[in-house]
Amino acid sequence: MQPETLVRDHTVYACVMGSRAFGLATDTSDTDRRGVFLAPTFLYWRFEKPPTHAEGPGEEQFSWELERFCELALRGNPNILECLHSPLVERMDDTGRELLSLRDAFLSRQVYGTFTRYALGQRRKLDADVRTTGAPRWKHAMHLLRLLMSARDLLRTGELRIEVGDQREPLLAVKRGELAWAGVEAWMARLGAETERALDRSPLPAEPDHARVADFLFRARRDSAVRTHARPGDSAVQTEPYDEVVQGVVRGGRVREG
């Protein structure tokens, strides 16, 4: 089963990310699409495992297999967590709805470390630009400020909100290079200090809820194992021979041999 087939036929959740989701889109903004697919369980019974992610098939499109997505979300990966909070959802089935219902299970005070490390990495790139060319890439500076705001507010409130709201115009001014780099640096430093202070009083738990997520993933794999599988071009849904065995085991029934 090719990656594009997994994305096309087995996506459980898909959304728009980037500037359009953040409320920072302009006429020239791309449309970045992100998604989660659930690889059929029977694919894991072979030596060659299904991919953990897939690019495409559309432009600016990227998807993760459900287990990999959950692993990264439990680690507090900023890009992954933000996908679960996009206001622009394009596709969602029952598994996707349950995934969204678990958004709070992935959140903990550990996000302080993951968001901060990501922000520091982006800041080093901006500083390198300034040393090399005399100016940062202003679009990247804008998005770093947005990320710092998001981290601060997440730690303050326990909720991750990715839309910038009334900060749209000040952030777009940074993108246009209308604010001196020294001013942007001061803004970043202020947000960093506010984020650190928010950590001490954060309502977030110390760790994410691994058990809830693990239970969800188990059930998703189990439900996939007992489903029938339709092949492209078939006039009727067919059941793979090994599916009959799995259905018997999972449902506690008896399986006819021979």
Side-chain angles (χ1 to χ4, degrees):
M1 192 173 290
Q2 297 299 311
E4 58 267 23
T5 303
L6 289 168
V7 173
R8 184 191 66 213
D9 297 340
H10 298 282
T11 290
V12 300
Y13 174 75
C15 65
V16 173
M17 286 302 299
S19 293
R20 298 192 182 281
F22 302 144
L24 291 168
T26 62
D27 293 340
T28 60
S29 295
D30 294 328
T31 300
D32 300 320
R33 289 184 165 86
R34 300 292 180 263
V36 182
F37 62 88
L38 174 60
T41 300
F42 74 86
L43 293 179
Y44 290 93
W45 301 342
R46 303 168 178 173
F47 282 122
E48 185 178 353
K49 307 303 181 186
T52 59
H53 60 270
E55 292 192 43
E59 294 184 5
E60 306 297 333
Q61 183 178 5
F62 192 94
S63 301
W64 296 268
E65 206 282 325
L66 179 63
E67 183 173 341
R68 178 59 173 165
F69 185 89
C70 289
E71 287 176 346
L72 293 172
L74 285 169
R75 295 177 192 172
N77 182 294
N79 292 322
I80 298 292
L81 292 177
E82 289 183 338
C83 285
L84 292 174
H85 295 78
S86 172
L88 304 175
V89 176
E90 294 191 320
R91 181 175 174 182
M92 183 165 55
D93 66 4
D94 289 342
T95 302
R97 275 185 282 275
E98 186 169 2
L99 176 63
L100 282 193
S101 75
L102 290 171
R103 290 189 297 191
D104 65 310
F106 296 107
L107 299 177
S108 72
R109 290 196 293 275
Q110 292 178 1
V111 299
Y112 173 80
T114 55
F115 275 67
T116 298
R117 285 193 296 272
Y118 184 83
L120 287 174
Q122 296 303 305
R123 176 59 191 271
R124 284 193 288 268
K125 293 178 182 179
L126 292 172
D127 289 338
D129 290 337
V130 173
R131 288 194 301 270
T132 303
T133 67
R137 284 174 286 184
W138 293 109
K139 178 179 177 180
H140 293 186
M142 174 192 71
H143 281 298
L144 177 51
L145 287 166
R146 183 209 61 80
L147 178 74
L148 290 170
M149 291 177 187
S150 182
R152 177 199 60 191
D153 294 343
L154 169 57
L155 287 164
R156 281 178 173 175
T157 67
E159 297 181 5
L160 180 57
R161 297 180 179 178
I162 67 174
E163 292 180 277
V164 300
D166 60 7
Q167 293 300 303
R168 170 182 165 85
E169 290 308 318
L171 287 170
L172 288 178
V174 172
K175 181 182 179 181
R176 294 189 295 264
E178 295 174 359
L179 185 63
W181 175 236
V184 174
E185 285 186 301
W187 192 356
M188 290 177 180
R190 184 169 65 253
L191 288 170
E194 291 171 353
T195 302
E196 185 173 359
R197 288 195 296 270
L199 175 62
D200 294 333
R201 300 181 179 180
S202 178
L204 289 173
E207 297 182 353
D209 195 337
H210 287 81
R212 280 179 64 196
V213 178
D215 179 67
F216 159 67
L217 183 61
F218 173 83
R219 286 184 285 103
R221 291 271 189 252
R222 179 196 61 194
D223 293 346
S224 171
V226 300
R227 289 193 199 108
T228 55
H229 303 280
R231 298 188 183 89
D234 286 350
S235 58
V237 174
Q238 299 184 5
T239 301
E240 302 276 2
Y242 40 73
D243 288 343
E244 183 179 352
V245 175
V246 172
Q247 291 178 26
V249 171
V250 173
R251 294 171 180 167
R254 298 182 62 184
V255 179
R256 178 176 56 84
E257 298 181 359

